[in-house]
Short mmCIF file of all heavy atoms in Angstrom, two decimals:
data_model
loop_
_atom_site.label_atom_id
_atom_site.label_comp_id
_atom_site.label_asym_id
_atom_site.label_seq_id
_atom_site.Cartn_x
_atom_site.Cartn_y
_atom_site.Cartn_z
N VAL I 21 0.44 22.61 7.24
CA VAL I 21 0.36 23.15 5.89
C VAL I 21 -1.08 23.66 5.66
O VAL I 21 -1.27 24.73 5.00
CB VAL I 21 0.73 22.13 4.80
CG1 VAL I 21 -0.28 21.04 4.66
CG2 VAL I 21 0.99 22.82 3.47
N ARG I 24 -1.20 27.08 7.31
CA ARG I 24 -0.45 28.07 6.57
C ARG I 24 -1.22 28.52 5.34
O ARG I 24 -1.20 29.69 4.98
CB ARG I 24 0.93 27.52 6.18
CG ARG I 24 1.89 27.39 7.34
CD ARG I 24 2.36 28.78 7.78
NE ARG I 24 3.03 29.57 6.73
CZ ARG I 24 4.34 29.46 6.41
NH1 ARG I 24 5.10 28.64 7.15
NH2 ARG I 24 4.81 30.15 5.44
N PHE I 25 -1.84 27.58 4.65
CA PHE I 25 -2.65 27.94 3.51
C PHE I 25 -3.83 28.75 3.89
O PHE I 25 -4.19 29.76 3.23
CB PHE I 25 -3.08 26.67 2.73
CG PHE I 25 -2.11 26.19 1.69
CD1 PHE I 25 -1.80 24.83 1.56
CD2 PHE I 25 -1.47 27.09 0.84
CE1 PHE I 25 -0.90 24.39 0.66
CE2 PHE I 25 -0.57 26.68 -0.08
CZ PHE I 25 -0.26 25.32 -0.22
N ALA I 27 -4.04 30.83 6.29
CA ALA I 27 -3.58 32.16 6.58
C ALA I 27 -3.35 32.96 5.31
O ALA I 27 -3.37 34.20 5.37
CB ALA I 27 -2.25 32.07 7.38
N LEU I 28 -3.21 32.30 4.19
CA LEU I 28 -3.04 32.97 2.89
C LEU I 28 -4.39 33.08 2.15
O LEU I 28 -4.42 33.55 1.01
CB LEU I 28 -2.05 32.22 2.01
CG LEU I 28 -0.61 32.11 2.56
CD1 LEU I 28 0.20 31.26 1.57
CD2 LEU I 28 0.03 33.48 2.72
N GLY I 29 -5.46 32.67 2.82
CA GLY I 29 -6.75 32.75 2.21
C GLY I 29 -7.18 31.51 1.47
O GLY I 29 -8.24 31.48 0.80
N LEU I 30 -6.31 30.48 1.48
CA LEU I 30 -6.61 29.23 0.76
C LEU I 30 -7.18 28.22 1.76
O LEU I 30 -6.53 27.40 2.31
CB LEU I 30 -5.33 28.68 0.13
CG LEU I 30 -4.66 29.59 -0.94
CD1 LEU I 30 -3.26 29.11 -1.26
CD2 LEU I 30 -5.54 29.62 -2.16
N TRP I 33 -9.46 23.49 -1.17
CA TRP I 33 -8.95 23.28 -2.55
C TRP I 33 -10.14 23.12 -3.51
O TRP I 33 -10.95 22.20 -3.36
CB TRP I 33 -8.10 21.98 -2.58
CG TRP I 33 -6.76 22.20 -1.94
CD1 TRP I 33 -6.51 22.40 -0.61
CD2 TRP I 33 -5.49 22.19 -2.60
NE1 TRP I 33 -5.19 22.59 -0.40
CE2 TRP I 33 -4.54 22.44 -1.58
CE3 TRP I 33 -5.06 22.03 -3.93
CZ2 TRP I 33 -3.17 22.49 -1.87
CZ3 TRP I 33 -3.72 22.09 -4.19
CH2 TRP I 33 -2.79 22.32 -3.19
N MET I 37 -7.50 23.92 -8.57
CA MET I 37 -6.31 23.71 -7.74
C MET I 37 -5.97 22.25 -7.62
O MET I 37 -4.78 21.85 -7.71
CB MET I 37 -6.49 24.33 -6.33
CG MET I 37 -6.65 25.82 -6.30
SD MET I 37 -7.30 26.46 -4.74
CE MET I 37 -5.99 25.99 -3.58
N PHE I 44 1.00 18.82 -11.69
CA PHE I 44 2.34 19.16 -11.25
C PHE I 44 3.02 17.93 -10.67
O PHE I 44 4.24 17.72 -10.88
CB PHE I 44 2.26 20.21 -10.15
CG PHE I 44 3.61 20.75 -9.71
CD1 PHE I 44 4.61 21.11 -10.63
CD2 PHE I 44 3.85 20.95 -8.35
CE1 PHE I 44 5.81 21.60 -10.15
CE2 PHE I 44 5.07 21.44 -7.91
CZ PHE I 44 6.07 21.79 -8.84
N GLU I 51 6.65 24.50 -12.27
CA GLU I 51 6.52 25.04 -10.92
C GLU I 51 5.81 26.40 -10.91
O GLU I 51 4.90 26.66 -10.11
CB GLU I 51 7.90 25.17 -10.26
CG GLU I 51 7.88 25.79 -8.89
CD GLU I 51 9.25 25.93 -8.29
OE1 GLU I 51 10.13 25.03 -8.57
OE2 GLU I 51 9.52 26.87 -7.51
N ASP I 52 6.19 27.23 -11.91
CA ASP I 52 5.60 28.59 -11.99
C ASP I 52 4.06 28.51 -12.26
O ASP I 52 3.25 29.25 -11.72
CB ASP I 52 6.26 29.37 -13.10
CG ASP I 52 7.66 29.86 -12.68
OD1 ASP I 52 7.98 29.81 -11.51
OD2 ASP I 52 8.43 30.25 -13.60
N ASP I 53 3.71 27.60 -13.12
CA ASP I 53 2.26 27.39 -13.46
C ASP I 53 1.50 26.91 -12.24
O ASP I 53 0.38 27.37 -11.95
CB ASP I 53 2.07 26.41 -14.61
CG ASP I 53 2.51 26.96 -15.92
OD1 ASP I 53 2.60 28.21 -16.08
OD2 ASP I 53 2.79 26.18 -16.89
N TYR I 54 2.09 25.97 -11.51
CA TYR I 54 1.39 25.43 -10.33
C TYR I 54 1.25 26.53 -9.26
O TYR I 54 0.15 26.69 -8.75
CB TYR I 54 2.21 24.22 -9.78
CG TYR I 54 1.63 23.70 -8.49
CD1 TYR I 54 0.31 23.19 -8.48
CD2 TYR I 54 2.34 23.67 -7.31
CE1 TYR I 54 -0.23 22.69 -7.31
CE2 TYR I 54 1.83 23.17 -6.14
CZ TYR I 54 0.54 22.67 -6.14
OH TYR I 54 -0.03 22.21 -4.98
N LEU I 55 2.35 27.15 -8.91
CA LEU I 55 2.28 28.17 -7.90
C LEU I 55 1.38 29.37 -8.30
O LEU I 55 0.68 29.92 -7.48
CB LEU I 55 3.68 28.69 -7.53
CG LEU I 55 4.61 27.67 -6.86
CD1 LEU I 55 6.00 28.26 -6.69
CD2 LEU I 55 4.03 27.22 -5.53
N GLY I 56 1.41 29.61 -9.60
CA GLY I 56 0.56 30.71 -10.09
C GLY I 56 -0.88 30.40 -9.95
O GLY I 56 -1.67 31.29 -9.62
N THR I 57 -1.29 29.13 -10.20
CA THR I 57 -2.68 28.75 -10.02
C THR I 57 -3.11 28.92 -8.57
O THR I 57 -4.19 29.52 -8.31
CB THR I 57 -2.83 27.25 -10.46
OG1 THR I 57 -2.56 27.17 -11.82
CG2 THR I 57 -4.27 26.84 -10.21
N LEU I 58 -2.32 28.43 -7.64
CA LEU I 58 -2.66 28.59 -6.25
C LEU I 58 -2.76 30.02 -5.81
O LEU I 58 -3.63 30.46 -5.07
CB LEU I 58 -1.68 27.80 -5.34
CG LEU I 58 -2.02 26.36 -5.04
CD1 LEU I 58 -2.18 25.51 -6.32
CD2 LEU I 58 -0.93 25.76 -4.16
N THR I 59 -1.78 30.81 -6.34
CA THR I 59 -1.73 32.25 -5.89
C THR I 59 -2.93 33.01 -6.37
O THR I 59 -3.38 33.94 -5.65
CB THR I 59 -0.40 32.89 -6.45
OG1 THR I 59 0.72 32.14 -5.97
CG2 THR I 59 -0.23 34.32 -5.98
N ARG I 60 -3.48 32.67 -7.52
CA ARG I 60 -4.68 33.35 -8.01
C ARG I 60 -5.83 33.24 -7.05
O ARG I 60 -6.73 34.08 -7.03
CB ARG I 60 -5.07 32.76 -9.37
CG ARG I 60 -4.20 33.25 -10.52
CD ARG I 60 -4.82 33.00 -11.84
NE ARG I 60 -4.95 31.60 -12.21
CZ ARG I 60 -6.04 30.91 -12.19
NH1 ARG I 60 -7.21 31.48 -11.85
NH2 ARG I 60 -6.06 29.62 -12.55
N PHE I 61 -5.88 32.18 -6.28
CA PHE I 61 -6.99 31.99 -5.35
C PHE I 61 -6.71 32.42 -3.90
O PHE I 61 -7.56 32.28 -3.00
CB PHE I 61 -7.43 30.52 -5.33
CG PHE I 61 -8.00 30.03 -6.68
CD1 PHE I 61 -7.19 29.32 -7.53
CD2 PHE I 61 -9.30 30.34 -7.02
CE1 PHE I 61 -7.71 28.91 -8.75
CE2 PHE I 61 -9.82 29.94 -8.27
CZ PHE I 61 -8.99 29.21 -9.14
N ALA I 62 -5.50 32.91 -3.70
CA ALA I 62 -5.07 33.38 -2.37
C ALA I 62 -5.49 34.81 -2.13
O ALA I 62 -6.00 35.50 -3.03
CB ALA I 62 -3.57 33.24 -2.23
N THR I 63 -5.31 35.28 -0.92
CA THR I 63 -5.64 36.67 -0.58
C THR I 63 -4.83 37.61 -1.49
O THR I 63 -3.65 37.39 -1.70
CB THR I 63 -5.26 36.92 0.92
OG1 THR I 63 -6.00 36.03 1.72
CG2 THR I 63 -5.55 38.38 1.31
N GLY I 65 -2.34 40.15 -2.87
CA GLY I 65 -1.06 40.57 -2.32
C GLY I 65 -0.18 39.42 -1.97
O GLY I 65 1.00 39.57 -1.67
N THR I 66 -0.73 38.20 -1.97
CA THR I 66 0.03 36.98 -1.70
C THR I 66 0.97 36.70 -2.89
O THR I 66 0.58 36.81 -4.04
CB THR I 66 -0.87 35.78 -1.48
OG1 THR I 66 -1.73 36.00 -0.39
CG2 THR I 66 -0.04 34.52 -1.22
N SER I 67 2.22 36.41 -2.61
CA SER I 67 3.20 36.15 -3.62
C SER I 67 3.36 34.63 -3.87
O SER I 67 3.02 33.85 -3.01
CB SER I 67 4.54 36.77 -3.28
OG SER I 67 5.14 36.05 -2.16
N THR I 68 3.91 34.32 -5.01
CA THR I 68 4.15 32.88 -5.27
C THR I 68 5.18 32.34 -4.30
O THR I 68 5.18 31.17 -3.92
CB THR I 68 4.65 32.62 -6.69
OG1 THR I 68 5.82 33.45 -6.96
CG2 THR I 68 3.59 33.01 -7.68
N SER I 69 6.10 33.22 -3.81
CA SER I 69 7.10 32.80 -2.79
C SER I 69 6.37 32.49 -1.47
O SER I 69 6.71 31.46 -0.78
CB SER I 69 8.08 33.91 -2.58
OG SER I 69 9.04 33.53 -1.57
N ASP I 70 5.36 33.20 -1.11
CA ASP I 70 4.57 32.90 0.09
C ASP I 70 3.90 31.53 -0.02
O ASP I 70 3.93 30.75 0.93
CB ASP I 70 3.45 33.93 0.30
CG ASP I 70 3.99 35.32 0.63
OD1 ASP I 70 5.10 35.46 1.20
OD2 ASP I 70 3.30 36.35 0.29
N VAL I 71 3.36 31.27 -1.20
CA VAL I 71 2.67 30.00 -1.43
C VAL I 71 3.70 28.83 -1.40
O VAL I 71 3.43 27.77 -0.89
CB VAL I 71 1.91 30.02 -2.77
CG1 VAL I 71 1.33 28.63 -3.08
CG2 VAL I 71 0.79 31.03 -2.69
N ARG I 72 4.86 29.06 -2.02
CA ARG I 72 5.88 28.01 -2.02
C ARG I 72 6.30 27.66 -0.57
O ARG I 72 6.49 26.51 -0.24
CB ARG I 72 7.11 28.42 -2.87
CG ARG I 72 8.16 27.30 -2.94
CD ARG I 72 9.48 27.78 -3.50
NE ARG I 72 9.37 28.18 -4.85
CZ ARG I 72 9.37 29.42 -5.33
NH1 ARG I 72 9.45 30.47 -4.44
NH2 ARG I 72 9.29 29.67 -6.61
N ASP I 73 6.54 28.71 0.18
CA ASP I 73 6.95 28.47 1.59
C ASP I 73 5.88 27.73 2.39
O ASP I 73 6.21 26.82 3.17
CB ASP I 73 7.23 29.82 2.27
CG ASP I 73 8.49 30.51 1.80
OD1 ASP I 73 9.32 29.82 1.13
OD2 ASP I 73 8.62 31.73 2.02
N ALA I 74 4.64 28.08 2.17
CA ALA I 74 3.51 27.38 2.82
C ALA I 74 3.45 25.92 2.35
O ALA I 74 3.28 24.98 3.18
CB ALA I 74 2.19 28.07 2.53
N TRP I 75 3.62 25.73 1.08
CA TRP I 75 3.59 24.37 0.52
C TRP I 75 4.66 23.46 1.13
O TRP I 75 4.43 22.28 1.40
CB TRP I 75 3.75 24.49 -1.01
CG TRP I 75 3.69 23.19 -1.76
CD1 TRP I 75 4.63 22.68 -2.63
CD2 TRP I 75 2.58 22.32 -1.88
NE1 TRP I 75 4.22 21.54 -3.21
CE2 TRP I 75 2.94 21.27 -2.74
CE3 TRP I 75 1.32 22.27 -1.27
CZ2 TRP I 75 2.07 20.19 -3.03
CZ3 TRP I 75 0.46 21.25 -1.60
CH2 TRP I 75 0.83 20.21 -2.44
N ASN I 76 5.84 24.02 1.42
CA ASN I 76 6.91 23.23 1.92
C ASN I 76 6.81 22.94 3.44
O ASN I 76 7.56 22.12 3.95
CB ASN I 76 8.23 23.90 1.66
CG ASN I 76 8.76 23.68 0.27
OD1 ASN I 76 8.50 22.65 -0.33
ND2 ASN I 76 9.45 24.63 -0.32
N THR I 77 5.87 23.58 4.13
CA THR I 77 5.76 23.33 5.58
C THR I 77 5.19 21.96 5.86
O THR I 77 5.33 21.48 7.01
CB THR I 77 4.84 24.36 6.25
OG1 THR I 77 3.51 24.31 5.63
CG2 THR I 77 5.41 25.76 6.17
N ILE I 78 4.69 21.28 4.85
CA ILE I 78 4.23 19.89 5.08
C ILE I 78 5.42 18.97 5.40
O ILE I 78 5.20 17.96 6.10
CB ILE I 78 3.45 19.37 3.88
CG1 ILE I 78 2.64 18.14 4.29
CG2 ILE I 78 4.36 19.08 2.67
CD1 ILE I 78 1.66 17.67 3.20
N ILE I 108 9.14 20.82 -6.19
CA ILE I 108 9.30 21.73 -5.07
C ILE I 108 9.66 21.04 -3.79
O ILE I 108 10.65 21.36 -3.10
CB ILE I 108 8.04 22.61 -4.87
CG1 ILE I 108 7.76 23.49 -6.09
CG2 ILE I 108 8.17 23.48 -3.60
CD1 ILE I 108 6.45 24.26 -5.97
N HIS I 109 8.89 20.00 -3.49
CA HIS I 109 9.15 19.28 -2.23
C HIS I 109 10.50 18.55 -2.24
O HIS I 109 11.25 18.61 -1.23
CB HIS I 109 8.04 18.27 -1.98
CG HIS I 109 6.78 18.90 -1.43
ND1 HIS I 109 5.56 18.29 -1.51
CD2 HIS I 109 6.59 20.09 -0.84
CE1 HIS I 109 4.65 19.05 -0.88
NE2 HIS I 109 5.25 20.16 -0.49
#
Side-chain angles (χ1 to χ4, degrees):
V21 71
R24 286 290 301 274
F25 272 137
L28 298 178
L30 298 168
W33 286 67
M37 293 165 64
F44 186 46
E51 176 180 328
D52 287 344
D53 287 340
Y54 175 60
L55 293 176
T57 298
L58 269 58
T59 303
R60 282 195 293 108
F61 294 100
T63 302
T66 300
S67 69
T68 56
S69 180
D70 294 332
V71 174
R72 183 191 294 106
D73 289 344
W75 183 237
N76 280 329
T77 58
I78 196 171
I108 295 175
H109 282 162

